[in-house]
Amino acid sequence: MKLLSKVTYAAASMVFIGSSAFSQSLADAKKAIDAEQYQKAKSILKNLTTTQPTKDENFFYLGWVYTLQEYPDSAKAAFNKGIAANAKSALNYAGLGAVARLDKDNAGIKSNFDQAAALAGKDSKPYLYIGRGYLLTPGTSNVVAPADANAAIAALQKGLSINAKDADIDIALGDAYRSQLKSNDAYKYYSDAVNLSPNSTTANVAIGVLWRYANNFEDSEKQFQKALSIDPNFGPAYREWAETDLRWALTDPKMASAKVKEAADNYRKYLSLTDMSTESRMRYADFLIQAGDYKTLQQEAAALAASANSNLRVYRYLAYSAYENKDYPAGLTAINKWISSADPKRIIPRDYLYLGRLELASGQDSLGIQALRKAYQLDTTQTEVFNEIAKSYYAKKRYKDAAEAYSQYISKTPRAKLQDYLNQGISYFYAYDDKDPKADTMLLVKSDSAFAHIEHVATSPIAAVALYRAYVNDTKDRDRQNIKGLAKPYYEKYIQIVTTKGVTDADKKNLASAYAYLGTYYQYKEKDNAKAEENFTKARELDPTNRQAQAFFAKKPAAGKGK
């Protein structure tokens, strides 16, 4: 389902804000940061760092904007200038710690945050930004590790002990607990923030996001509306509203059409209230990934790539969308450009996932499998890669490799379905070569085990499972002159399932094979030619080309003993 139609940008409705239109105060810059008007904030702050070069706070907030936009080099330069202006600037050391987070520099994180805390004294703000630094999630990930969340909470609690009336710290604490799905704790701190600052648009929006995660969409919308009643131009309220609409659409199919349209409208309002920077549009691209609207994403990414202010990250969006739109050559070019040119710290596991998919789709199987394994190595939640690897091996008739990949998937994910066990069993079955006298019979054992698991947990009998169990046991019992009848109960079960539900044309060949096996069993094992003829007759009626039935009637045996 296409979840989002293309958002068009109306220049007339765009609130593009130049530095000359507003007073150049630090308070205005902070307000612009909260409203995600980063270009406006940078314009004000660059002016302030020129006109007030001794105020380290100006450099910190400029660096913080760069940090939020994931420009670590520019952020670090600003923070270092802040320290040059004031060697005891706790805020700027907190900023350097946040940059170290972007750079995955654990030593830098600790040393800079420790220095910020040592210099903070009775100022709560450095602890606020230490906490926010630990909550940063670079790239497209929004997952905060428990250890980072705990470190953020410890810093923020220290800040709160210094200034119990700092609503921003309460909001950050709410964010930290929300990142760990601790909704009650998150709500407590968001509510504290609203009590301290009833007109806090950020706190009201945060409560709305919390309701969204609980799928309480009506209350979520009320919070966004409340924030907009305080400030009709607070863009993040529209962005979170749009993302709530999207979750609503995915959760409730009856509301999908209306909510998808509303999501588009709300995201358009968000964009019109920001400065339409490359960063804002890339955030929209992230939203399109979440929405699964890869057609619009490819169009938007192409427009971003053509922009004079293009960000290298646009190649990620070009690659993802091209793959989903089956434009594999373009996608492979884009993902290789991104991975080869970007700072290695900016590469995320999903990039290798798409690299692998694009290489597999382009016939570069060994490279594709290597990239998929790299994605799993970097993020062990990406267990789906083993399913994709298995499908690739199966398509190349490398059945043993496919079976082992399916086995890895089943062992590593709690989401394995009966279909995965079926694929595993079929792959092990085809991996066994009955013409090879040294063939590994454990492959048949593993195959039968997979099918047996399905029979054990399935709520109703499955014809394909019974048939494949019959095939496996039939393969073990190839000597027709000394047939043991290992497959007999499974073929009989298959016949019962199919005839009970009603035989279709698609069933006839397999059903004929089942009757032919029974005919052979009665002919050679039971020496009951009447029962043999009965079953071979059914086989011939279903499939006149069945070779076992043809052979039986070509040389019809003498009548045997009746049973």
Side-chain angles (χ1 to χ4, degrees):
M1 177 178 69
K2 181 180 178 183
L3 291 178
L4 194 65
S5 59
K6 185 178 180 183
V7 174
T8 56
Y9 308 125
S13 66
M14 217 171 73
V15 181
F16 182 80
I17 304 164
S19 60
S20 61
F22 291 85
S23 60
Q24 302 293 297
S25 72
L26 187 57
D28 287 324
K30 291 180 183 179
K31 186 176 180 181
I33 293 171
D34 288 343
E36 298 178 15
Q37 296 171 342
Y38 297 134
Q39 294 302 105
K40 175 188 174 182
K42 284 193 291 189
S43 179
I44 295 173
L45 290 163
K46 286 178 181 178
N47 183 61
L48 288 173
T49 57
T50 301
T51 59
Q52 302 171 1
T54 61
K55 291 190 175 181
D56 57 292
E57 208 175 6
N58 295 333
F59 291 101
F60 168 73
Y61 284 102
L62 177 60
W64 187 250
V65 175
Y66 283 125
T67 301
L68 294 175
Q69 293 183 310
E70 294 188 35
Y71 292 122
D73 292 341
S74 297
K76 189 182 298 184
F79 295 139
N80 281 325
K81 287 180 181 178
I83 292 169
N86 175 9
K88 295 183 178 181
S89 176
L91 271 177
N92 280 288
Y93 277 107
L96 288 175
V99 170
R101 280 274 294 161
L102 293 182
D103 286 340
K104 301 176 183 176
D105 174 8
N106 292 330
I109 294 169
K110 185 178 188 314
S111 64
N112 285 296
F113 283 160
D114 285 351
Q115 182 70 354
L119 294 170
K122 297 298 183 181
D123 184 0
S124 64
K125 288 303 178 188
Y127 291 102
L128 168 64
Y129 285 96
I130 291 172
R132 286 180 172 175
Y134 275 118
L135 296 177
L136 289 173
T137 54
T140 58
S141 170
N142 60 0
V143 177
V144 179
D148 293 325
N150 290 337
I153 290 167
L156 292 165
Q157 290 288 9
K158 176 65 175 177
L160 206 59
S161 70
I162 293 170
N163 182 3
K165 295 184 178 181
D166 190 333
D168 289 336
I169 292 182
D170 281 314
I171 293 170
L173 275 165
D175 292 343
Y177 282 112
R178 189 181 75 199
S179 75
Q180 303 306 295
L181 305 180
K182 296 180 179 179
S183 300
N184 290 337
D185 292 314
Y187 183 74
K188 185 263 184 196
Y189 284 105
Y190 289 146
S191 297
D192 287 351
V194 170
N195 290 334
L196 287 168
S197 181
N199 289 331
S200 171
T201 50
T202 302
N204 280 288
V205 167
I207 293 173
V209 174
L210 194 62
W211 291 140
R212 177 174 81 220
Y213 287 155
N215 288 349
N216 183 349
F217 303 119
E218 291 87 353
D219 284 342
S220 184
E221 284 189 342
K222 288 176 184 176
Q223 287 298 141
F224 303 138
Q225 290 165 347
K226 184 176 179 181
L228 290 166
S229 71
I230 297 167
D231 180 0
N233 294 320
F234 190 65
Y238 283 111
R239 175 176 49 74
E240 296 293 359
W241 195 346
E243 294 181 6
T244 299
D245 285 330
L246 179 60
R247 185 178 176 117
W248 197 340
L250 291 168
T251 305
D252 185 353
K254 291 183 291 186
M255 298 293 291
S257 178
K259 290 302 168 183
V260 164
K261 181 181 183 302
E262 189 171 276
D265 291 342
N266 282 324
Y267 220 100
R268 180 168 59 247
K269 291 172 184 174
Y270 162 69
L271 286 167
S272 74
L273 290 167
T274 68
D275 40 36
M276 289 294 289
S277 64
T278 298
E279 289 72 32
S280 295
R281 293 174 69 185
M282 287 196 297
R283 184 152 192 170
Y284 171 50
D286 291 331
F287 176 70
L288 291 171
I289 291 174
Q290 183 186 4
D293 187 357
Y294 292 100
K295 182 178 179 181
T296 303
L297 177 63
Q298 192 165 20
Q299 295 167 348
E300 177 64 14
L304 276 168
S307 168
N309 297 318
S310 178
N311 184 299
L312 186 65
R313 201 167 85 213
V314 72
Y315 289 101
R316 170 185 287 157
Y317 303 125
L318 286 170
Y320 290 12
S321 58
Y323 171 78
E324 299 293 346
N325 293 324
K326 297 183 169 45
D327 188 359
Y328 303 129
L332 192 58
T333 298
I335 198 67
N336 281 324
K337 171 70 175 175
W338 166 244
I339 290 177
S340 64
S341 302
D343 185 328
K345 300 183 186 74
R346 305 280 85 80
I347 306 302
I348 60 175
R350 192 191 295 178
D351 296 332
Y352 286 105
L353 182 64
Y354 272 92
L355 172 64
R357 289 170 172 172
L358 284 160
E359 286 173 334
L360 288 178
S362 302
Q364 300 176 19
D365 292 39
S366 59
L367 289 175
I369 289 169
Q370 181 180 333
L372 290 176
R373 290 189 184 279
K374 175 75 170 178
Y376 177 76
Q377 178 186 341
L378 294 173
D379 179 4
T380 55
T381 67
Q382 298 281 356
T383 53
E384 196 63 34
V385 301
F386 293 105
N387 234 333
E388 299 187 46
I389 290 170
K391 290 175 184 176
S392 174
Y393 280 137
Y394 192 91
K396 298 294 182 183
K397 297 185 178 181
R398 293 175 58 177
Y399 298 120
K400 185 177 180 182
D401 290 329
E404 289 174 352
Y406 281 124
S407 297
Q408 285 182 296
Y409 175 69
I410 289 168
S411 69
K412 294 177 185 296
T413 180
R415 300 185 300 275
K417 301 175 182 177
L418 295 185
Q419 182 64 49
D420 300 313
Y421 284 93
L422 183 63
N423 293 339
Q424 177 195 33
I426 292 171
S427 297
Y428 274 127
F429 174 67
Y430 284 130
Y432 180 79
D433 183 359
D434 60 355
K435 297 182 179 63
D436 181 358
K438 296 181 180 180
D440 183 3
T441 56
M442 279 303 297
L443 296 172
L444 294 177
V445 173
K446 290 178 179 180
S447 176
D448 199 41
S449 176
F451 299 133
H453 172 81
I454 298 173
E455 283 190 334
H456 179 69
V457 301
T459 55
S460 58
I462 301 171
V465 174
L467 183 61
Y468 270 105
R469 290 206 78 180
Y471 287 164
V472 169
N473 286 278
D474 196 357
T475 303
K476 294 177 184 177
D477 195 14
R478 283 300 188 192
D479 185 354
R480 290 296 184 246
Q481 302 299 322
N482 296 292
I483 191 169
K484 299 181 183 68
L486 300 178
K488 180 174 180 286
Y490 304 109
Y491 276 123
E492 288 176 333
K493 186 171 185 178
Y494 172 73
I495 291 169
Q496 179 188 11
I497 294 169
V498 172
T499 54
T500 298
K501 75 173 179 61
V503 179
T504 67
D505 288 342
D507 296 323
K508 288 181 178 179
K509 277 188 176 294
N510 290 331
L511 198 56
S513 296
Y515 282 117
Y517 173 88
L518 293 176
T520 302
Y521 171 81
Y522 284 111
Q523 181 182 2
Y524 292 106
K525 177 69 174 174
E526 298 293 334
K527 310 299 183 183
D528 185 341
N529 287 328
K531 291 284 287 183
E533 182 172 351
E534 176 187 338
N535 281 282
F536 279 125
T537 299
K538 291 178 180 178
R540 184 172 62 178
E541 289 172 350
L542 288 162
D543 178 15
T545 66
N546 183 277
R547 291 182 180 180
Q548 288 172 272
Q550 288 178 337
F552 177 84
F553 288 108
K555 188 180 180 180
K556 186 175 177 181
K561 61 183 179 179
K563 290 285 184 178

